[in-house]
Every structure is written in C-alpha cells, then in structure tokens.
Amino acid sequence: MPTLLSHSSKASLRGLGLGFPGLSQPAAISSCSPNRSFSLGRGKDTRKERVVILGSGWAGYGFARTLDPAKYERVIVSPRSYFVFTPLLASTSVGTLEFRTILEPVRRLSGIGFYQGWADAIDFDRKTIRVETNAAEEVASKTVVPAPATGATQAVTAPPKPKGDLIDIPYDKLVIACGAYSQTFGIEGVREHAHFLRDIGDARRIRLRVLSLFEQCSYPRGTDRLSDADKRQLLHFAIVGGGPTGIEFAAELNDLIRDDLAPMYPDLMPFVSITVYDVAPKVLPMFDQALAKYAMDTFARQNIKVKTEHHLQRLRLADGNLGQRHGALKIKIRELGEQEVGAGLVVWSTGLMANPLIAKLAALELAAPGPNPVASQSTPRHLLRDARTGGIVTDAHLRALTETKDTAATRGILEDVYVIGDCAVMENDPALPKTAQVASQQAAHLAKRLNSGGAAAVAAKPFRFRNWGTLTYLGSWKAIHQSQADELRGWVAWVVWRGAYLTKSMSWRNKLLVPVYWVVSWLFGRGISRF
Amino acid sequence: MPTLLSHSSKASLRGLGLGFPGLSQPAAISSCSPNRSFSLGRGKDTRKERVVILGSGWAGYGFARTLDPAKYERVIVSPRSYFVFTPLLASTSVGTLEFRTILEPVRRLSGIGFYQGWADAIDFDRKTIRVETNAAEEVASKTVVPAPATGATQAVTAPPKPKGDLIDIPYDKLVIACGAYSQTFGIEGVREHAHFLRDIGDARRIRLRVLSLFEQCSYPRGTDRLSDADKRQLLHFAIVGGGPTGIEFAAELNDLIRDDLAPMYPDLMPFVSITVYDVAPKVLPMFDQALAKYAMDTFARQNIKVKTEHHLQRLRLADGNLGQRHGALKIKIRELGEQEVGAGLVVWSTGLMANPLIAKLAALELAAPGPNPVASQSTPRHLLRDARTGGIVTDAHLRALTETKDTAATRGILEDVYVIGDCAVMENDPALPKTAQVASQQAAHLAKRLNSGGAAAVAAKPFRFRNWGTLTYLGSWKAIHQSQADELRGWVAWVVWRGAYLTKSMSWRNKLLVPVYWVVSWLFGRGISRF
C-alpha cells in the first residue's frame, strides 16, 4: 500500500499528534489477524476486502450482522464487547429483565474479527486506524461524557494521554458507526452526579442505586439520624428529559416500586416520589396531542409528576452526611429560584452530542483524490462536518463527504469511507432523528448494497428511511404507538410493543430468555438482589 | 428490660470499645421496626418473641426460612442482602448460569425484618446488637479477608473506625450464624492478589477476569508487545486448594474454554493451561481412592494439571507492563525454589478461618447467670471459644456455651443464644466439617425445635448430623458422588448432581430459571458478555 500522504499533510498530521509515533509502520494485515477466518498469507488480489466497522451499536453491529462474511472480512473496533438492545434497557434497570438478556456479544458473530478499544485516530490516506485498546476487566460499560473543552481546538491539539496499548488496524473499506455521546449542555454537576441510561453498566448502576436508597432509608435511627424530610429527599427520583427514554424509565421505575418494593418497605411508601422534568412545554413531542394527553393522564393516575418548562441549572451533592454518606443530590431549577430540589437519583436523558472523534477526524488534512495527489496540494481537503450537530455529512448513499477549501468549497466523496447511525448527517435529509430505527435501516441498506456488488452497488441506489412509528411504554402494562398508518394505546399497544421487540435484532438465545424473564418477573417479582 | 450489667462488666465493655457510645439507650423495639408485620405498641407479654439471626448463608437463611413467622418475629442482620446457593457458584463464574439465578433475596421472605450490616458488637446482658450499616450501592459482595493482626488482642482493642452508621437492634433470642472467613495462612500477597470464590461478587470478578485475559491476549502487537511467553503466563489459570470447590472451578473453567472460548480465540489455545495446586499428597481427600483416581484420570484427559505437595509461599504482581497493565501474577512455590510460576488468575480455595467477630465476643465479660448477677462478680464468665478453630463451642443442642474462670472452669449455657453453621463447634462432635450440608441441617433442626416449643423443645432433643454424601463436578458432564450407601461416577453422577441441587433450598423462581439456563447455555453457549 503506497503512502499517499503529501508532505504538507504528513506534517499537519504530526502537528495534531496523529502521526502514529511508536509504530514505524502500520501492522501488516497478516500480523493483525487473531482469527482463523481471516485470509492470511494470500496476495491482495485473491484475499477478501477487509471492512473495518467502528462501533457495535445499532449501526455497527447491525451492519456487521448483515454483511456477507463470504464476500468480506469483517472487523469490528468498539470499546464495548457487545451490542445492547437499547429499547429494553429501562426494563433491565428495574430488574424486569436480566442484564445479559439484552446483550449480544460481538464475538458470537461467527468469523468476526474484533478489537476492543477506542478509535483514537484514522489515517485515511494510508487506510489505517490507530486503536487504543480497552480489555481490562475494570471496564465499566458506562456512558462516557467527555469533559467540556474550553474550545474545539483544545480537544484536538491536546488529546488525553492514552491509558491502553496502541495498535494499528488497516482497512480496505471503513464504516464509521461510533455513535454519539450524551448531551449535558455543559450544565454544572451533570457529568459527575447524574446517571445516564445508554449502556448496560448505566442500567446496572441505576438498579443498584434505587435498591440501595430503599435499604438506606429502612434502618431505624442510629448515630446518624435520617429524618422523614431526609427520606423524602433520598426517595425522590428525578428524570430530566421527557422523551421516550425518560418517560419509559419513569414508568418502569414506578412499576418496580409499586409491585415489588411497596410490599417490602411499606413504611417508606409515603416518602417516595417520581418527577420528570423537561424544558419544553410538552413531553413526548413525537406523539400527537391525543396520545401525549393519554400518556400524561396515565402518569397522573400513577402519581408520576411531570414538570414541563423547567430548566435545570446545576446539580450538586447535598451538604453534610446526607450528601457524603447517602449521596443525596440538590437540583437547582431556574423556575424555582434559589430553592433547590432534593433527590436520591437523577437520571439524565436529554439528547445527544457529537462524538469527539468526529472533530478530530474533521481537522485532518486529507490527500487530494485522483491519481496525482500532489497536484492539488495547495487546496486543503477535509472531512465535511455538520455545523449544527457535529456529525459527519454523507451523501444519499451514506458515503462520507469531503470539502475542498477552494473558492467554490467543492464537495467530494471520501472513497471507501461510509458513515451510518448517530454520527452521520445525511446531506439530503439532515433532520433524520438519531434513533435505533434510522441506524438499523442505514446499516441494513449499506450492508445489502455492499453484498450485492460493492461500491458500485452502493452508488446505484440511495438510502431511503421508512418510518415504522414510535412506541413508548407508560407503565402498568400500557403503551402508546404512533405511525403514519395507525395509532394504538392501552394494552393493545403493549402487546404490539413487546411482540415487535422480540422479533427484531435478537439472537435466539435472547428471543427465548426475554419472554422467560417476562413470565418469571410477572409470577415471582423482579430481580431485586443487590451485588 | 432491666440492665443486667454489673459495674465491673460495664467497665470492661467500655474498655473494649463496646460500651455503645453515641446512643444513650438501645433503641426501643418499636423504633426499630421498618416492617408492618412487626408487633408494634403491644406489651411484652402479648408480642411475639424477636429472634435475631446474624448471617444470611446456609445456616442463617435456612433457619429464617424454617422458623414459623406466626410464632416468632424474625429479623436477619447480614452484610449481604441475599442468600447464595454456593454449590452453583462455580457455574456462575464461567457463565453457565446467570448470577441472579443462584441468589435468594432476604427481603423476599414474607414478613421478614432485615438490617443490612455487620454485627459490630453484642451486649449479651442487655440483649442488644450493635450493627454497622452497609447499604451503599458500592457494596462489593466480595469475600472479605481480614488483615492479619499482630496479636489477637490488637484486633479487639483497636477496632477499625466504622464506615457505616451504627444502629442498635434488641433481641429476645439470638442465632449466631455469621460463618467463617477464607483462610490464607497469612501467605504474602494472597489477600491482595488472589481471587476467592465464596460470594457472588467473587464469581462476577472471576468471570470478568477470565474473559478479559483472553481479550487482552487477542490484540496484534502494538506499542506494548505481548510475547508468546507473556501470553502463556496470562493464560495460565492457577487454582490453589484441591477440595471440591477448587476442583469444580477448574472443571467448569475448562468447559468454558473448550466449548465457548476455543472457537472465538483459536490462536490462543496453545497458550492456555489450568493447574490445581495442593499441599496434601492427594486432592479430594473426602473421596475414596477409586473415585479420586477417576477424578484425576478425567482431569488428565482434559489436560488439567494437578500438582500435589506444592506449597505456595508468596503471590506478587509481575514486574513491568505485564503486572501493571495486564495484572499478571508471580507465584513462588517452595518445591520450585527461586523460579516463580506466572499466572493471569489465581483462585484461592484452601479452607476457612474464624470470623473476627467471634474473638471479639469471646473477650467480653458476661454477667453471671441466675437471679442475682452481682453475687458471682468475682468469677469472670466468657463465651467458650474453640482453641483450634476459633469457633464458638455449643452443646449438642446448638446452645452457646460459657466458661466461668473459677478453679473448675465450669461450663454453662448462655441463655437464648444459639450458634449454627461454620462459626459453631459442637462440644460432642467437634470434627463436623464446615459445609453447607452441616449448616443447613443445623438450621432446620434448631428452627423446627423452636417452632415446636421454644427453648424447652430445643433442650429436649439434641442435633444429629446425617451425612448425605459428597458430590463433585469434574467437567464434561461428569461427576463423582460418594456417601455411606453408594458410589456414583460419570454421567449418572452428573444427573444425580444436577437433580439434587434443583430440589434443594431454591425458590420456585430459581427452580425454573436454573434449568432454563442449563438448556440455553447448552444450545447457544455460555454468557460471555463482559460488563
């Protein structure tokens, strides 16, 4: 593979700390292959093209599942060793389902190549990814919220010191599906004190926290005396963000408390409350007025409070013992002035922000396309980044776009690089939501096109999104569903909801275990052991 | 409840730091009751006797399950919020079973009173237990090995600063079932670096460690180059202790590697090895020669090495990157001289030592029995502790014995205090093994006697142990079973083994889930997701 880097772009890569020091050459393909199914020792002409996929979420895992292993060598690079079936994450956080029933280990894909780690840098010209490895058993499976950078450039010029080993993975085709991060709007204390609900470790931490709070409030008064007011604070569960994730978590939490915890801690029930906060005038904006009202009526009957047009300004640990020993939080809300609201748990679910890797990649200077890269040396070319969301802009075929900074700001295609899922912004449809549905449709489309005829087949047919509608669980066996074709509510929606989830994207193992757990939890109660 | 403490015993309690400072009075029963089923506000004559149980293992949980809630108020004090079905712990550590399928949450016992925490001290005269609470969600469910004390007195006079809140729990009858700790023989580095396999958190850590080691060895060479020799060290799994626990873990680990990890990491298989070390000349001492030989032949066929008469002298982290980044260990063995053996994981399973609480309790000076406690003030009376094992000595009825330090060293009974399980040593049968079988039979016996007529019924019939035999799983669907009546081996033993476990001590939830997981793991492989 000849080095395509021009002198100036090499220099700029080094300036950004992306010059891949330490390894003089990217590892040859044969030295990177831990798996028998890799085609070792053959010449380039006969071996299968290597498709490297960054990410193992709805986009990355869905793509890898669909891509034909007979035609391509598939390699996933992801900090997580599994795919999470996110629609059921809230169910695992309250013990209705066991955590592992919604996970699909990447290595269960037959013949897959897998490197657990973060893509730290990509050399598009030499078609090599530098990966920071991450296989220590302490790995937390926890949502990472990047520390706020004082400016975008700082994040690029001063990357954090790598903790893992660094390895280089070459590719023939690259699929960027590294998703997005949780959006905190830089609000003080959210990164440190809020719980997120995007990964399995988050769900585990939330389950432990909820159960622990009840246990902590159940002791008689000891040397450290919890007053009734203290218990009221600790057993206040605050959810910030009134989208489907926040609403479903509130509903599932309420089910857990009513069905399982109330019989065990009857004396604590008067102190329990659940509140959903949102800045918008109404929650569940994707549902029409009637369904949203039905949701609010259902919540009101279950005594879940919904506070719209509330702006959270700060989250901090409560003073004294209540904060230090019990982890109580204080929420400052603009509409309530100086009076803070106490809570034992704050679940944060307000949307997504771009993965910091994207800014890093967009800052790279790319070699010019075509047979003579030196020719256009004077006109720098970059990956095109969406100014509003920070994602990578793609064409209608999910190919990464570039911009050459000449007078016309010419757009082009970055050969062999595709972007799908939450980190992609489609040029022709920039308003596509960042949902599992979009990501999995993009993944399936791209993989099928590549299966049917490689890059030419991708170019032959654009991606088109089909809206299957939105479903939200409301607790007490009720849900609402809305699509262009129909509207459903009540237990009918619940049956549709559960049925639809079962048949989508799950392995047979989990297709079997999820209904088993539904029955077991219904018969014997949810999983409440704490460890 | 009048204070029975004599002046001198009060002073001695204070001198030991057990004078319960901070709370001027033990909390009244009514202020301690978090549960509606407790009998509040009634006079002492009409309310049910409160039986407080220290511990939630085979002894404590088994006792609480059997004690009649219509006749007694049951309160469990335990640092763990669940009972662990220990015979299946090794199966959870390799992903054959899900962790929660072998846990029974204490609070699922209807009408139970539960305080999560450690008994820190007991005032036998005032019938009150001081408990250090432990309900934080960080609770590790991990085997605790107490730091070695330079002398027995140090552990008593300088108790560690309590981290939790302190609460006082009064009792009418007390059942001490707080178990034993892992025995490390004070060998350097074992506490810090070895894994134990006694609690669910231990099983979780072992599973994460095993899977992580394979992942760490699967990368291509990066900036930090793992040589083949390094991989051979990291993928060496050492088990110290050739009793049933160690042997079963080795067998289950071998099943996991052969069935699930070999297809995923074929290139790593030449580096994998499993070794069981024991100081004795033969492993599985409770089995007769023929069955033990069968076990060794089965292991030999599976390439599990068994090294008897090997004395481990030190465990330490390997030097450099291999230790710091990959957690590799170095084992020093007397028989091998200065040459240390490398390992990625050391599982320690060499037996039990007394719970430090026992030494603390035995050091307490008790009030004299009888109507006039002041009379025998000059003859100090203590709980009787077994010199060899450190347990509390009981009579044949499981009642705690005391010794009065007069010329004859008179033994007596400590009224209303019973001791069962690993922390009890029966005066008439001190060689009873510290097993789940003994603990659960003692628990059932004591609870049934109390149900049938209180203390008088306990005194009427001594405990008698019935040996049901011993079962050990050997991997590859094989097991050995030995009892007085029969000997079984091969798959027949395996069927008996699995069948026997299913019907014993489990809730219906787990009776259902365990076979489901056996089938699912057999059909689709074990749980290998890492989080």
Side-chain angles (χ1 to χ4, degrees), chain A residues 23 31-36 81-82 98-100 103 105 107-108 114-116 133-137 141 163-167 200 204 207-209 212 215-216 218-220 222-225 260 264-267 325 508-509 512-513 516-517 520 524-531, chain B residues 23 31-36 81-82 98-100 103 105 107-108 114-116 133-137 141 163-167 200 204 207-209 212 215-216 218-220 222-225 260 264-267 325 508-509 512-513 516-517 520 524-531:
Chain A
L23 289 178
S31 76
C32 287
S33 300
N35 203 307
R36 274 205 286 246
S81 63
Y82 48 78
E98 185 51 61
F99 300 118
R100 238 170 233 92
L103 300 184
R107 285 198 181 268
R108 287 272 180 219
F114 175 60
Y115 299 110
Q116 190 169 8
T133 66
N134 165 32
E137 72 267 37
S141 327
K163 291 153 302 245
D165 188 13
L166 296 176
I167 56 173
I200 201 72
R204 182 168 176 266
R207 198 201 285 198
L208 281 173
R209 178 73 184 154
S212 163
E215 202 65 58
Q216 290 179 47
S218 76
Y219 293 113
T223 42
D224 148 45
R225 294 162 188 268
D260 297 84
M264 293 177 192
Y265 306 92
D267 296 349
R325 179 169 285 166
W508 278 104
R509 179 195 182 90
L512 194 80
L513 281 174
V516 163
Y517 270 98
V520 164
F524 308 112
R526 294 174 175 80
I528 54 144
S529 44
R530 207 153 20 93
F531 70 95
Chain B
L23 288 178
S31 76
C32 286
S33 301
N35 203 307
R36 273 206 287 245
S81 64
Y82 47 78
E98 185 52 59
F99 300 117
R100 237 170 234 91
L103 299 183
R107 286 199 180 267
R108 287 273 182 218
F114 176 61
Y115 299 110
Q116 190 168 8
T133 65
N134 164 32
E137 72 267 37
S141 324
K163 292 153 301 244
D165 189 13
L166 296 176
I167 57 173
I200 201 71
R204 182 169 176 266
R207 196 200 287 198
L208 281 173
R209 178 72 185 154
S212 163
E215 202 65 59
Q216 290 179 47
S218 77
Y219 293 113
T223 43
D224 148 45
R225 294 162 189 267
D260 297 83
M264 292 175 193
Y265 305 93
D267 297 349
R325 179 170 285 166
W508 278 103
R509 179 196 181 91
L512 195 79
L513 281 175
V516 163
Y517 270 97
V520 164
F524 307 112
R526 295 174 173 81
I528 54 143
S529 43
R530 208 152 22 90
F531 70 96

Side-chain angles (χ1 to χ4, degrees), chain B residues 30-60:
Chain B
S30 60
S31 76
C32 286
S33 301
N35 203 307
R36 273 206 287 245
S37 73
F38 287 17
S39 320
L40 305 181
R42 289 192 243 154
K44 168 136 191 169
D45 298 336
T46 56
R47 73 168 181 86
K48 288 184 275 187
E49 270 196 306
R50 168 186 278 213
V51 181
V52 176
I53 304 136
L54 301 188
S56 60
W58 282 96

Side-chain angles (χ1 to χ4, degrees), chain A residues 379-515:
Chain A
T379 53
R381 182 171 169 249
H382 293 272
L383 212 55
L384 185 61
R385 190 165 160 241
D386 181 56
R388 198 176 61 82
T389 65
I392 301 175
V393 180
T394 73
D395 67 2
H397 305 268
L398 303 166
R399 296 177 293 192
L401 291 183
T402 60
E403 192 171 51
T404 307
K405 287 270 164 54
D406 50 18
T407 44
T410 321
R411 291 191 174 183
I413 287 160
L414 187 56
E415 290 291 337
D416 294 326
V417 177
Y418 305 92
V419 191
I420 55 177
D422 289 351
C423 61
V425 178
M426 296 191 74
E427 189 182 26
N428 59 323
D429 193 357
L432 269 186
K434 295 196 191 310
T435 62
Q437 220 178 101
V438 171
S440 62
Q441 288 186 32
Q442 287 177 335
H445 171 84
L446 184 63
K448 282 178 191 161
R449 296 316 295 164
L450 286 173
N451 287 345
S452 75
V458 174
K461 190 179 167 188
F463 169 74
R464 206 172 301 279
F465 175 61
R466 284 176 173 199
N467 194 339
W468 295 325
T470 310
L471 246 154
T472 299
Y473 180 64
L474 300 175
S476 307
W477 302 51
K478 292 198 180 93
I480 47 175
H481 177 257
Q482 177 156 45
S483 72
Q484 282 133 325
D486 58 51
E487 265 184 27
L488 289 170
R489 63 179 76 174
W491 66 269
V492 180
W494 188 86
V495 170
V496 171
W497 184 73
R498 299 227 144 162
Y501 282 153
L502 257 188
T503 49
K504 266 198 235 165
S505 308
M506 299 287 259
S507 63
W508 278 104
R509 179 195 182 90
N510 289 338
K511 270 180 192 151
L512 194 80
L513 281 174
V514 167

Side-chain angles (χ1 to χ4, degrees), chain B residues 318-393:
Chain B
D319 301 322
N321 232 357
L322 205 61
Q324 291 303 320
R325 179 170 285 166
H326 300 283
L329 299 172
K330 287 286 187 187
I331 312 173
K332 187 166 184 306
I333 292 171
R334 195 173 71 196
E335 285 71 14
L336 303 182
E338 284 309 304
Q339 208 196 333
E340 292 169 300
V341 178
L345 172 77
V346 174
V347 173
W348 193 265
S349 167
T350 60
L352 300 174
M353 60 176 276
N355 189 322
L357 175 69
I358 307 293
K360 229 169 161 177
L361 297 181
L364 287 177
E365 199 166 303
L366 304 166
N372 185 2
V374 187
S376 53
Q377 198 177 322
S378 53
T379 52
R381 182 172 170 248
H382 293 272
L383 212 54
L384 185 61
R385 191 167 161 238
D386 181 57
R388 198 177 61 82
T389 65
I392 301 175
V393 181

Side-chain angles (χ1 to χ4, degrees), chain A residues 188-431:
Chain A
E188 187 186 333
V190 174
R191 276 183 74 232
E192 295 81 6
H193 303 301
H195 282 71
F196 299 86
L197 186 49
R198 299 195 63 216
D199 201 342
I200 201 72
D202 302 333
R204 182 168 176 266
R205 275 179 196 81
I206 288 174
R207 198 201 285 198
L208 281 173
R209 178 73 184 154
V210 169
L211 296 170
S212 163
L213 282 166
F214 279 85
E215 202 65 58
Q216 290 179 47
C217 291
S218 76
Y219 293 113
R221 285 186 169 211
T223 42
D224 148 45
R225 294 162 188 268
L226 278 187
S227 68
D228 285 0
D230 293 339
K231 292 182 186 174
R232 205 163 275 122
Q233 283 193 48
L234 285 171
L235 298 178
H236 176 221
F237 301 94
I239 293 114
V240 184
T245 307
I247 292 293
E248 286 194 351
F249 173 71
E252 298 251 22
L253 178 64
N254 188 62
D255 285 359
L256 166 71
I257 292 171
R258 183 197 56 218
D259 299 343
D260 297 84
L261 302 182
M264 293 177 192
Y265 306 92
D267 296 349
L268 294 181
M269 287 306 116
F271 305 122
V272 177
S273 60
I274 302 175
T275 312
V276 179
Y277 296 97
D278 202 305
V279 293
K282 91 190 240 298
V283 295
L284 295 176
M286 60 290 292
F287 287 91
D288 71 22
Q289 200 64 42
L291 284 182
K293 185 176 180 313
Y294 175 81
M296 289 309 89
D297 292 348
T298 307
F299 266 34
R301 266 198 306 280
Q302 299 180 64
N303 234 339
I304 302 173
K305 289 189 280 289
V306 177
K307 308 250 182 189
T308 50
E309 296 180 299
H310 275 61
H311 294 74
L312 198 142
Q313 291 184 307
R314 188 187 63 209
L315 207 56
R316 67 173 179 93
L317 220 52
D319 301 322
N321 233 357
L322 206 61
Q324 291 304 320
R325 179 169 285 166
H326 300 282
L329 299 172
K330 288 286 188 184
I331 311 172
K332 186 167 186 302
I333 292 170
R334 194 173 72 196
E335 285 72 12
L336 303 182
E338 284 310 303
Q339 208 196 332
E340 291 169 301
V341 177
L345 172 76
V346 174
V347 173
W348 193 265
S349 166
T350 60
L352 301 175
M353 60 176 277
N355 189 321
L357 175 69
I358 307 293
K360 229 169 160 178
L361 298 181
L364 289 176
E365 199 165 303
L366 305 167
N372 184 3
V374 187
S376 52
Q377 199 179 322
S378 52
T379 53
R381 182 171 169 249
H382 293 272
L383 212 55
L384 185 61
R385 190 165 160 241
D386 181 56
R388 198 176 61 82
T389 65
I392 301 175
V393 180
T394 73
D395 67 2
H397 305 268
L398 303 166
R399 296 177 293 192
L401 291 183
T402 60
E403 192 171 51
T404 307
K405 287 270 164 54
D406 50 18
T407 44
T410 321
R411 291 191 174 183
I413 287 160
L414 187 56
E415 290 291 337
D416 294 326
V417 177
Y418 305 92
V419 191
I420 55 177
D422 289 351
C423 61
V425 178
M426 296 191 74
E427 189 182 26
N428 59 323
D429 193 357

